[in-house]
Amino acid sequence: MLLDRARLKGVLLDRDGVLNEEPGPPLTPEEFRWIPGSAEAVAQLNASGLWVAVVTNQAAMARGKLRPEGLQAITDQMTHDLAAVQGHVDGFYFCPHHPDWQEGVRRVPPHPCTCRKPEPGLLEQASQAAGLPPEAWVLIGDKTSDLEAARRFGCPSIGVRTGHAGQDQAFALEPVFWADDLAGAVQYLLHE
């Protein structure tokens, strides 16, 4: 899917591996570590007038390792850090599910949901909240499940080489562009 910058109004960002360092999701605000330049990249998107949404799978919740108030504390820390660089997120959407787990108990049989990427549910939630159609968005992610969610939703994607860097290979997809990190993706998006 091609990127049409003239129609672009919003950016969907995966969190883990795009905004913050991997491995593993942070379970406390103290464990959240920004990838260098990513907070400033969000501020650049804000300054350009784009709607910015985070769309993130949070399977740690299904596994019983993270509670809703813990995720909120991490999000509050992100919000605080972004404000320090004149940045913000317009919407934060997360999937608390995992097909094999529910509240720390292994499920049998697996239970799929419509919000866990590669399903497009989170992207649809952001689209509804912003009042923007799929073709007005681009998704930036580090996993092929992010790229597949964008394809199913109907928007282009940009991959970053931080986090999983597309090495999960769950889907055979190529984004419009591969960037070294979120800062590089934003540079490509705004200035190419």
Side-chain angles (χ1 to χ4, degrees):
M1 187 170 297
L2 297 175
L3 175 63
D4 183 352
R5 287 180 179 84
R7 298 177 86 174
L8 185 64
K9 303 288 183 211
V11 179
L12 299 157
L13 300 173
D14 178 45
R15 192 190 78 175
D16 303 328
V18 175
L19 294 173
N20 60 281
E21 295 176 355
E22 289 275 20
L27 301 177
T28 66
E30 296 76 25
E31 291 178 6
F32 186 90
R33 304 271 186 268
W34 288 95
I35 293 172
S38 59
E40 293 81 2
V42 172
Q44 284 184 298
L45 293 171
N46 298 144
S48 71
L50 295 170
W51 213 85
V52 178
V54 172
V55 289
T56 178
N57 290 346
Q58 291 297 309
M61 296 180 83
R63 290 184 175 116
K65 295 181 178 181
L66 182 64
R67 307 234 1 108
E69 57 272 13
L71 180 61
Q72 186 60 54
I74 294 166
T75 303
D76 291 346
Q77 182 64 51
M78 288 176 53
T79 300
H80 177 268
D81 295 347
L82 283 168
V85 294
Q86 287 75 52
H88 67 274
V89 170
D90 296 295
F92 186 87
Y93 306 92
F94 68 94
C95 172
H97 309 118
H98 189 280
D100 300 329
W101 292 89
Q102 180 176 6
E103 297 175 2
V105 178
R106 191 168 273 292
R107 287 182 188 209
V108 178
H111 175 73
C113 69
T114 59
C115 56
R116 181 174 172 79
K117 293 177 289 177
E119 295 301 326
L122 296 177
L123 289 66
E124 292 166 353
Q125 289 177 40
S127 181
Q128 275 190 325
L132 297 173
E135 58 273 12
W137 295 94
V138 65
L139 179 138
I140 302 175
D142 68 315
K143 295 178 80 174
T144 62
S145 59
D146 297 321
L147 309 181
E148 176 64 10
R151 186 193 69 75
R152 292 180 188 184
F153 176 60
C155 77
S157 60
I158 296 173
V160 291
R161 292 190 177 97
T162 50
H164 291 276
Q167 298 304 308
D168 59 299
Q169 300 178 346
F171 299 91
L173 292 172
E174 284 296 320
V176 171
F177 180 74
W178 277 106
D180 288 336
D181 54 20
L182 181 58
V186 169
Q187 177 73 16
Y188 168 78
L189 197 58
L190 300 181
H191 304 294
E192 290 292 317

